Amino acid sequence: MTTNWHEDGSTILLPPKAAVTASAWRHHHILDLDDFTQDEIELILHITGSMKEVLARPIKKVPALRGKTIMTLFYENSTRTRLSFELAAKSLSADISNLTASTSSIVKGESLIDTLLTLESLGADVVIIRHPQSGAPNLAAQHIKGSVINAGDGWHAHPTQALLDMYTMRAHKGVIKDLKVTIIGDTKHSRVSRSNIWGLTTMGAVVTVCSPPTLLPVGFNQPGAYFPKVRIEPDIHKAIEGADVVMVLRLQLERMQTGLLPSMREYIQLYQLNEERLKIAKPDALVMHPGPMNEGLEISTGVAHGSQSVINEQVTNGVAVRMALLYLLAGGKKA
Ligand code: CP
């Protein structure tokens, strides 16, 4: 059932179909999921499964990316994304260096493009970038020859988070097609929700969005909008009813202008996912959150750490998904 993709000593086993499709991989960058087909997302999820197998070994390391140089360039704070990319690169035997804007020459005024050219001059094969400005990774991709991975840009996109979310859903539910996924919270500022909506609708899930009107993106479901159609349901009870997956978003207070919410108390009353509301979803519904959480605000502590929560699993799966992406971008074509 499986085939050995590499002949260089690394034993990453792929199902035959995945190995064949991987050789036709066409992406040089991962900027968002809006230009990914269902087959391409399937391929990433397949290879993620193979990477989970590598990570389950006593020695969690294969030489697939030996000699490749990966660099992270983070203009915003991160725990999960940065660490999981680092672990992913190390498990594939790549060299990885991390640059944080606050401790670099960016503080002295060096521009994004000059910083990228510096990383290129130092030999970066892949640059993983997080930036507060939407579109920064797309700009980066126009200026360097190596691959760019978007690790979250402004309100725009967080494709690797959406892929790990989809992998986690599929691991539990078997399929993504026809899953009822309800996304609750601050969709206006959420790059996670945008990438999830692209990915989930491409895979055939039925997505419902539940947000206060002031935290719903302008143009959602408008004629001519460059965005997939979703169901918008402001009533949290109707939105959750019958859901297979309830994904809660962080209230992004740092990106919010004042006046978008009357009060935190009202937000909790109307939009917090708590034990009582979770009962309206299917009994086996998954609870997800990309993290970091404002526990007690958008999600109650009991739900966040309850039996239906897969939030810690999402974090774990982030390493394997990012291994799959690094492999496809920097090593896949060697097969
Ligand atoms: N979900 C997510 O992107 O988390 P970090 O900000 O910790 O990377």
Side-chain angles (χ1 to χ4, degrees):
M1 284 297 287
T2 56
T3 189
N4 197 336
W5 193 10
H6 275 261
E7 292 173 10
D8 63 356
S10 61
T11 52
I12 295 172
L13 301 176
L14 297 177
K17 185 166 170 263
V20 170
T21 333
S23 63
W25 175 255
R26 69 186 171 103
H27 292 274
H28 186 54
H29 307 291
I30 311 286
L31 301 174
D32 197 1
L33 297 184
D34 55 350
D35 60 345
F36 276 72
T37 64
Q38 193 172 340
D39 281 350
E40 288 167 343
I41 294 174
E42 279 289 350
L43 174 69
I44 295 166
L45 302 184
H46 260 297
I47 297 180
T48 300
S50 301
M51 296 305 173
K52 290 280 286 184
E53 183 267 318
V54 169
L55 292 171
R57 296 177 190 174
I59 297 172
K60 307 172 178 57
K61 213 170 173 84
V62 287
L65 296 192
R66 199 168 41 198
K68 297 288 180 183
T69 302
I70 316 280
M71 296 195 186
T72 64
L73 173 58
F74 275 49
Y75 285 75
E76 269 187 3
N77 296 339
S78 166
T79 300
R80 283 150 279 266
T81 311
R82 203 184 71 85
L83 279 177
S84 59
F85 266 117
E86 188 168 350
L87 291 169
K90 286 178 174 168
S91 280
L92 294 170
S93 304
D95 295 312
I96 179 152
S97 301
N98 299 303
L99 188 66
T100 306
S102 60
T103 55
S104 73
S105 291
I106 294 162
V107 175
K108 301 175 195 165
E110 191 159 42
S111 70
L112 170 63
I113 291 168
D114 284 344
T115 303
L116 288 162
L117 294 175
T118 303
L119 301 191
E120 181 164 70
S121 303
L122 292 169
D125 295 297
V126 180
V127 175
I128 298 155
I129 179 166
R130 171 169 287 193
H131 201 284
Q133 300 295 328
S134 299
N138 302 62
L139 183 71
Q142 291 166 22
H143 284 87
I144 57 172
K145 293 186 197 74
S147 294
V148 173
I149 301 181
N150 181 0
D153 63 326
W155 305 3
H156 172 227
H158 197 347
T160 66
Q161 177 71 43
L163 288 164
L164 75 88
D165 291 342
M166 286 190 281
Y167 181 85
T168 307
M169 287 178 210
R170 206 170 69 166
H172 283 267
K173 300 292 177 190
V175 290
I176 297 175
K177 186 168 166 29
D178 297 330
L179 273 189
K180 288 186 178 162
V181 181
T182 298
I183 302 177
I184 301 174
D186 181 4
T187 37
K188 185 183 182 83
H189 302 101
S190 174
R191 53 200 181 201
V192 173
S193 71
R194 281 184 182 72
S195 289
N196 259 297
I197 289 170
W198 279 114
L200 286 166
T201 53
T202 299
M203 297 302 283
V206 180
V207 179
T208 297
V209 168
C210 176
S211 302
T214 50
L215 295 183
L216 196 64
V218 175
F220 245 29
N221 284 3
Q222 295 299 307
Y226 177 69
F227 208 67
K229 284 236 174 340
V230 291
R231 173 180 162 232
I232 297 173
E233 178 48 75
D235 181 313
I236 192 167
H237 300 94
K238 289 183 190 162
I240 293 177
E241 194 175 4
D244 296 293
V245 178
V246 185
M247 182 184 293
V248 184
L249 301 173
R250 183 169 69 87
L251 209 45
Q252 300 201 18
L253 301 168
E254 77 278 18
R255 295 189 212 278
M256 223 177 265
Q257 299 154 349
T258 52
L260 290 178
L261 291 172
S263 71
M264 290 305 132
R265 187 199 294 235
E266 184 180 300
Y267 187 84
I268 291 167
Q269 271 178 2
L270 294 177
Y271 294 101
Q272 184 189 75
L273 184 66
N274 57 28
E275 287 87 337
E276 196 185 318
R277 287 174 176 155
L278 183 57
K279 286 185 194 143
I280 307 168
K282 286 194 181 148
D284 60 349
L286 305 178
V287 172
M288 304 182 79
H289 191 302
M293 292 184 276
N294 298 306
E295 262 184 56
L297 212 176
E298 69 260 6
I299 189 165
S300 72
T301 297
V303 169
H305 300 284
S307 60
Q308 288 170 255
S309 170
V310 292
I311 294 168
N312 293 332
E313 244 179 87
Q314 287 174 262
V315 177
T316 305
N317 290 336
V319 179
V321 162
R322 288 163 178 135
M323 283 172 76
L325 294 172
L326 291 175
Y327 193 50
L328 282 164
L329 291 179
K333 295 226 165 94
K334 278 195 228 152

